[in-house]
Amino acid sequence: MVFSTDIDLLKHLAAKGAIASKISTTTSDISKSLAISQQSASRRIRALASEELISSYSSPRGIELSITEKGRGVLQSYLAELKGIMASKLPPKLTGKVTSGVGEGKYYVLQPNYNSYFKKILKSSAYAGTLNLLTEEQALRQFLMAATPNIFDGFETSERTFGALKTYSVVINGEQKAALVMPERTTHKKGVIEIISPVNLRKKFSLNDNAVVEIELIESSGGI
Amino acid sequence: MVFSTDIDLLKHLAAKGAIASKISTTTSDISKSLAISQQSASRRIRALASEELISSYSSPRGIELSITEKGRGVLQSYLAELKGIMASKLPPKLTGKVTSGVGEGKYYVLQPNYNSYFKKILKSSAYAGTLNLLTEEQALRQFLMAATPNIFDGFETSERTFGALKTYSVVINGEQKAALVMPERTTHKKGVIEIISPVNLRKKFSLNDNAVVEIELIESSGGI
DNA sequence: ATTACTAACTTACGAGTAT
DNA sequence: TATACTCGTAAGTTAGTAA
């Protein structure tokens, strides 16, 4: 029997990367994240393992574990079910047309200060380029209103000023996690947005100019 | 504080339509669906109400309730979070149509040098035949880009040349581990791939030409 | 029928601690 | 440091039943 607490723990482990590969963690780490005791974390991990939702190896140096096929299936069907239920009231989606940018975004990505911020947001380093999209101005405004931005404050050096940014966690075409970047002051014309991502989105989705991509809002799970 | 049991109950109520409108139900109905007692259902409903995740009115004739804005927000961000986790972590899937091959793959499987390589990849000896699949060229390209190939270098004897191969660990139809084989130089037309497996896939899944199979990328766990 | 109170029960939790 | 055992206790659940 799979309980909702199991789903919760599985979800936490998935967020830590246990779907893609084996992860190393400790029961006290888990206990802090889920606000339970170390002992309970240990017990619940063993419960997941006995249900074969994860495979784990414990030692006095910590726990190595990964989510099994069965465990992923459980998460996936939970997600699918929830998706189906919420289908009528899903988070807003936005579509954009690929456009050739002026390269403003690339400039940001390459700046060390912005770069480390992006790294935190994406939980992985950013591809050295951005995808420029032309959206409907009003749809964009509405879309962003529904979102919670991450804010980068901006700063000044003696030489120049680095403007503030807002970024929004999104999923591109339903499968690639990315971030929508809105510079506080931009030279873009209205409706043009920039997407940063760990991968080259143009390549991944074989996008030429005017190709349409779908941008979906997500919670930045944990966030920064 | 919102617990995972709350999410579960909210999800159940949402499934019954409590997002869109007010619904009429009873605590014993709920108790049956969630496999808890009538008393617990009653208590948990009151808990949701006191968190203002639902608004409810109870009487000796049953309960009328609807999910509040706050409750919907809770469900939505849970969904969004899960989606975000799965979107970035889920291995890509590819579908292909069964097609009659020219038997090129079978030739490879029967060659001792290739054969022992396949044995390592599959962790079991390969069935003496391949499954030919027609895929969408672009989807295939995308699929393979996300994967880490195992590489067989190829070699020459005085008599002939054995070309290099790339193989990718996959799962067919969600249950049969197999390998997708991409010869470096192939006579196949674009989009056609070959699958080798420890078993006869056509037989196992009763596949006729044009049947659709699902190919899922997996980590080659350990690998070679 | 219902909901929901009280009391008995059972399960899950976490502090302490062995390994 | 870890994991994970024991065990007293707290929390959650259910049976019985009043309203």
Side-chain angles (χ1 to χ4, degrees), chain A residues 4-5 7-8 11-12 14-17 19-21 69 72 75-76 78-79 81-83 85-86 88-91 93 171 174-177 203-206 216-219 221-222, chain B residues 1 4-8 11-12 14-15 19-20 35 72 75-93 138 141-142 145-146 171 174 216-219:
Chain A
S4 58
T5 50
I7 300 281
D8 233 44
K11 168 166 149 286
H12 171 74
K16 288 197 121 191
I19 286 186
S21 60
E69 276 299 308
R72 206 183 73 201
L75 270 181
Q76 235 168 302
Y78 194 90
L79 172 62
E81 199 187 339
L82 200 51
K83 231 171 175 169
I85 292 167
M86 302 295 282
S88 52
K89 267 286 182 181
L90 279 179
K93 282 186 186 182
V171 167
E175 60 178 87
Q176 178 60 56
K177 208 167 172 178
K203 209 168 173 183
K204 171 160 188 175
F205 296 113
S206 307
E216 201 176 330
L217 220 47
I218 58 171
E219 286 291 310
S221 65
Chain B
M1 187 60 193
S4 59
T5 51
D6 294 335
I7 299 282
D8 234 43
K11 168 167 150 282
H12 171 74
I19 286 188
R72 207 183 70 204
L75 269 182
Q76 241 167 39
S77 44
Y78 194 90
L79 172 61
E81 200 186 336
L82 198 51
K83 222 169 174 175
I85 291 166
M86 301 298 273
S88 53
K89 302 287 157 56
L90 219 53
K93 281 187 185 182
Q138 187 173 322
R141 209 172 29 238
Q142 214 171 293
M145 237 156 54
V171 167
E216 202 176 330
L217 218 47
I218 58 172
E219 286 293 310

Side-chain angles (χ1 to χ4, degrees), chain B residues 53-78:
Chain B
L53 301 179
I54 62 171
S55 64
S56 71
Y57 171 72
S58 314
S59 81
R61 294 196 330 283
I63 292 183
E64 296 209 317
L65 62 87
S66 64
I67 294 174
T68 62
E69 274 299 309
K70 188 179 170 189
R72 207 183 70 204
V74 166
L75 269 182
Q76 241 167 39
S77 44
Y78 194 90

Side-chain angles (χ1 to χ4, degrees), chain B residues 161-179:
Chain B
T161 300
F162 294 86
L165 297 178
K166 284 184 184 173
T167 63
Y168 302 83
S169 293
V170 296
V171 167
I172 303 299
N173 283 349
E175 54 173 299
Q176 180 57 57
K177 204 167 174 180

